[in-house]
Amino acid sequence: MRVVIGVLALQGAVSEHIKMVTACGVTPRSVKTQADLKGLDGLTIPGGESTTIRKLLVREQMLEPLKKLVQQGFPVFGTCAGLVLLAQPDLLNGLKGTVVRNGFGRQRESFETELTVKGWSKPYHGIFIRAPYLSEVQQPAEALVTLADGRIVAAQQNHVLVTSFHPELTGDTRFHRYFVEKMI
Ligand code: GLN
């Protein structure tokens, strides 16, 4: 069966996600309208500016349909701004936790660091750009990457995966592969 993964293409790092999805051996589809959501096996929501993406989702009348899909168990992977959209209760409400937007302050607005991912033997190179984090998550959400100071920067709740950082800006397909192979 052909697996088709959508990449929300309203704003942000769209082409990078398309490359990653393609590298995982599945068919990507850029998603710009409500109709594009039909028949997908999953969706990735890129980094960008969550306020802008939210406004465009409302303009395209996609916020409610997408929220409904997420509540029904549709697999979604959100990076950075995508995390904000997925974890905010008034937006897509797909993961239980508390989001701190632009949570790393001015000096560290952008930084890179090696991350330990729960259950993975090799570290993952995290690229953070004005990144949010989760100060806590609640069951059934689970933290996958927690920094030494307790900030949660990757988490999963059943079919919803979020990272504060940008796997699509690395050449390391493990997060996308995990999404495609374990969550679809
Ligand atoms: N700070 C942005 C937001 O809150 C996210 C930044 C990003 O996606 N690189 O939407």
Side-chain angles (χ1 to χ4, degrees):
M1 199 191 74
R2 197 173 76 129
V3 174
V4 182
I5 303 292
V7 176
L8 191 66
L10 298 175
Q11 193 245 351
V14 175
S15 60
E16 291 85 350
H17 269 278
I18 288 183
K19 260 189 219 152
M20 289 300 248
V21 166
T22 309
C24 293
V26 298
T27 307
R29 180 197 295 167
S30 354
V31 173
K32 292 192 169 131
T33 65
Q34 221 187 92
D36 295 333
L37 287 171
K38 283 228 169 76
L40 291 177
D41 296 294
L43 180 75
T44 73
I45 305 182
E49 197 49 56
S50 56
T51 312
T52 307
I53 300 177
R54 172 179 56 77
K55 282 186 190 145
L56 294 171
L57 278 171
V58 169
R59 193 185 75 186
E60 293 302 322
Q61 299 182 319
M62 288 167 81
L63 187 63
E64 287 308 316
L66 193 50
K67 195 169 178 176
K68 213 182 221 174
L69 280 172
V70 171
Q71 304 319 316
Q72 289 166 352
F74 178 64
V76 185
F77 174 21
T79 65
C80 205
L83 174 151
V84 176
L85 292 161
L86 279 164
Q88 295 273 39
D90 56 334
L91 297 174
L92 297 174
N93 194 24
L95 184 130
K96 278 191 170 184
T98 306
V99 182
V100 182
R101 280 189 68 192
N102 302 316
F104 291 91
R106 278 234 159 150
Q107 311 90 312
R108 295 185 77 211
E109 270 190 342
S110 301
F111 63 99
E112 302 189 12
T113 188
E114 298 309 309
L115 302 169
T116 304
V117 186
K118 197 176 165 193
W120 295 10
S121 55
K122 288 199 191 118
Y124 194 91
H125 187 70
I127 301 178
F128 294 78
I129 304 168
R130 288 180 300 107
Y133 68 87
L134 295 156
S135 56
E136 51 93 37
V137 293
Q138 292 147 31
Q139 292 265 340
E142 239 200 299
L144 296 180
V145 179
T146 307
L147 301 181
D149 61 9
R151 299 181 217 210
I152 297 165
V153 294
Q156 181 177 354
Q157 177 175 317
N158 304 320
H159 55 281
V160 173
L161 176 66
V162 295
T163 63
S164 298
F165 48 93
H166 291 269
E168 75 280 10
L169 300 182
T170 71
D172 188 340
T173 54
R174 281 181 291 162
F175 269 98
H176 285 77
R177 245 175 229 291
Y178 176 80
F179 178 63
V180 166
E181 289 171 8
K182 301 268 194 295
M183 294 173 60
I184 301 290

